[in-house]
Amino acid sequence: MLPNTGKLAGCTVFITGASRGIGKAIALKAAKDGANIVIAAKTAQAHPKLPGTIYTAAEEIKAAGGKALPCIVDVRDEEQISSAVEKAVEKFGGIDILVNNASAISLTNTLETPTKKVDLMMNVNTRGTYLTSKACIPYLKKSKVAHILNLSPPLNLNPLWFKQHCAIHTAAMDMLGGSGVESQCRKVDIMADAAYCIFKKPKSFTGNFIIDENILKEEGIKNFDVYAVTPGHPLLPDFFLDEQPAMVTKKADSYGAVPELKEEKTQPPPKARSGAVEETFRIVKDSLSDDIVKATQAVYQFELSGEDGGTWFLDLKSKGGNVGYGEPSDQADVVMSMSTDDFVKMFSGKLKPTMAFMSGKLKIKGNMALAIKLEKLMNQMNSKL
């Protein structure tokens, strides 16, 4: 990993969403130089599912060698932003670096995205970034090392990435990956080291779109296994990046799917084994119980292409549950489209839903939270399938 040089000693870094994840990782990296960190985040009390608060992050920052100022900030609230900036200037004398890390996502297409979700994403991702930048710029102008770092997925205008979703979906690995997907990912440390590289550059380094791996390669980093959750394990290709190293594609193939990240001409759907879909649904039906139905409460519809395909359903709302050929009696909460071959692979555990989704083999419409529940149910059935 990139070593600390001490160049950020005494610098004040204002980071939104710094109570956990990438924001906290960047904070800890700067803290090792002796930087002052303003933790501008919403979490003041522990969340039942997400670890960390602004106060626990502050303790970690102090332990790493930095100074910390925890501030309760919802970036949708201009007064909270202004108050945090004023407190930062009062305590540390100014602001040298702003990291706009806080964000909101919804893994849905246009028709299935509620207006409330759209407002949340616009207010956090766009308006919040603007307001925080506006509040910090007067103090950044006085700094010798001033930087504003806006974290986002890679910016790529290829229509491929805009066809199915109206929103950023960098958390899809968590949403659909299920158990074990973390082994195909990198640690947040790679973002922290990339951010640190940017912070060390002069003020003239501005207006750049940067990929974390690329800037670290420029710094001389050659061994990226140090950033892997499971060193040596093939990585999931990033959303939005068209080109992937040939080796990643080769390794991914051995795990049951090749990422098809470039638009291709339509190919004939792969043929499934005769009766494989019907047999899969039979096993699924035998596995159903009142407890599963009570815990799921959703109706799933499958649009399958290829031999043995057509429209199928899985009703996990009716007592005891039901499966069958054709459309469900009640409107489906989730509609999944894929080939019959990929359907069988997914239910038998040979194809990860994440990889299928990323490569375009799986298309999902409807409630993503309920899609996650089905993915968990698939994991339970893998041994039987």
Side-chain angles (χ1 to χ4, degrees):
M1 291 187 183
L2 197 69
N4 287 68
T5 61
K7 289 189 175 182
L8 299 184
C11 290
T12 298
V13 187
F14 191 106
I15 309 177
T16 64
S19 60
R20 61 176 67 94
I22 292 173
K24 189 178 78 170
I26 293 174
L28 292 173
K29 182 75 178 181
K32 291 178 182 178
D33 273 9
N36 308 316
I37 310 296
V38 184
I39 309 161
K42 290 194 304 178
T43 311
Q45 296 181 341
H47 189 282
K49 295 183 179 179
L50 299 173
T53 67
I54 57 175
Y55 304 112
T56 59
E59 292 304 315
E60 291 184 56
I61 288 166
K62 292 174 185 176
K67 294 179 180 178
L69 175 62
C71 296
I72 299 174
V73 175
D74 181 336
V75 294
R76 294 172 293 178
D77 190 319
E78 188 172 10
E79 290 186 6
Q80 289 186 13
I81 294 171
S82 298
S83 175
V85 169
E86 290 174 8
K87 289 176 181 176
V89 173
E90 182 181 349
K91 184 174 179 66
F92 299 127
I95 297 174
D96 299 286
I97 296 169
L98 166 63
V99 180
N100 285 309
N101 170 67
S103 63
I105 61 169
S106 180
L107 186 61
T108 48
N109 64 28
T110 301
L111 295 179
E112 277 73 40
T113 306
T115 302
K116 185 177 179 180
K117 287 283 188 181
V118 175
D119 290 341
L120 174 65
M121 291 185 288
M122 292 296 182
N123 285 334
V124 173
N125 300 341
T126 304
R127 184 174 181 272
T129 295
Y130 170 79
L131 290 178
T132 308
S133 300
K134 182 180 180 182
C136 290
I137 285 174
Y139 303 100
L140 292 170
K141 283 185 173 182
K142 301 174 183 178
S143 172
K144 295 180 180 179
V145 297
H147 286 288
I148 294 179
L149 175 61
N150 298 320
L151 299 181
S152 78
L155 299 181
N156 186 342
L157 297 181
N158 186 330
L160 174 66
W161 308 119
F162 293 84
K163 288 196 303 184
Q164 298 179 45
H165 308 283
C166 72
I168 296 169
H169 53 277
T170 54
M173 279 74 75
D174 295 327
M175 297 286 283
L176 286 175
S179 177
V181 72
E182 66 276 359
S183 64
Q184 302 174 65
C185 301
R186 280 175 168 162
K187 303 172 185 174
V188 292
D189 296 346
I190 190 169
M191 292 293 290
D193 280 3
Y196 187 75
C197 287
I198 296 169
F199 298 161
K200 292 192 301 178
K201 292 186 179 294
K203 293 171 68 172
S204 57
F205 184 83
T206 185
N208 298 288
F209 297 110
I210 301 161
I211 305 298
D212 51 4
E213 184 174 307
N214 291 349
I215 195 169
L216 291 174
K217 283 181 178 177
E218 292 175 6
E219 291 285 322
I221 299 295
K222 296 180 180 179
N223 177 22
F224 284 84
D225 259 0
V226 296
Y227 297 115
V229 173
T230 305
H233 197 286
L235 299 170
L236 284 173
D238 195 296
F239 290 110
F240 307 108
L241 290 180
D242 289 332
E243 297 181 4
Q244 298 295 329
M247 187 56 67
V248 173
T249 304
K250 184 177 179 181
K251 288 182 178 180
D253 188 33
S254 67
Y255 279 78
V258 178
E260 301 170 359
L261 295 178
K262 289 183 179 287
E263 290 186 285
E264 303 287 348
K265 293 182 179 180
T266 303
Q267 299 293 329
K271 291 185 178 181
R273 300 184 298 270
S274 179
V277 173
E278 186 174 1
E279 176 64 13
T280 298
F281 274 112
R282 184 191 66 77
I283 297 174
V284 170
K285 186 174 183 179
D286 291 342
S287 303
L288 298 182
S289 67
D290 288 335
D291 288 339
I292 289 176
V293 172
K294 184 178 179 181
T296 310
Q297 287 295 291
V299 175
Y300 301 92
Q301 183 172 320
F302 302 89
E303 297 295 338
L304 307 180
S305 59
E307 186 178 336
D308 200 25
T311 299
W312 297 74
F313 71 88
L314 171 58
D315 182 351
L316 296 180
K317 275 187 179 177
S318 303
K319 183 175 175 61
N322 192 22
V323 304
Y325 183 79
E327 295 186 1
S329 56
D330 293 331
Q331 183 175 353
D333 299 291
V334 181
V335 179
M336 295 185 171
S337 303
M338 71 200 86
S339 72
T340 54
D341 192 46
D342 288 333
F343 171 83
V344 174
K345 285 180 180 178
M346 279 178 49
F347 268 87
S348 61
K350 295 178 181 177
L351 174 61
K352 289 263 186 195
T354 300
M355 188 65 81
F357 182 79
M358 287 179 63
S359 63
K361 292 182 176 182
L362 167 63
K363 296 180 180 179
I364 301 175
K365 292 182 179 180
N367 189 315
M368 291 305 300
L370 295 177
I372 299 167
K373 286 189 175 183
L374 179 62
E375 198 268 335
K376 292 179 179 178
L377 182 60
M378 284 189 225
N379 290 337
Q380 297 173 16
M381 295 178 177
N382 283 349
S383 60
K384 298 180 182 179
L385 293 163

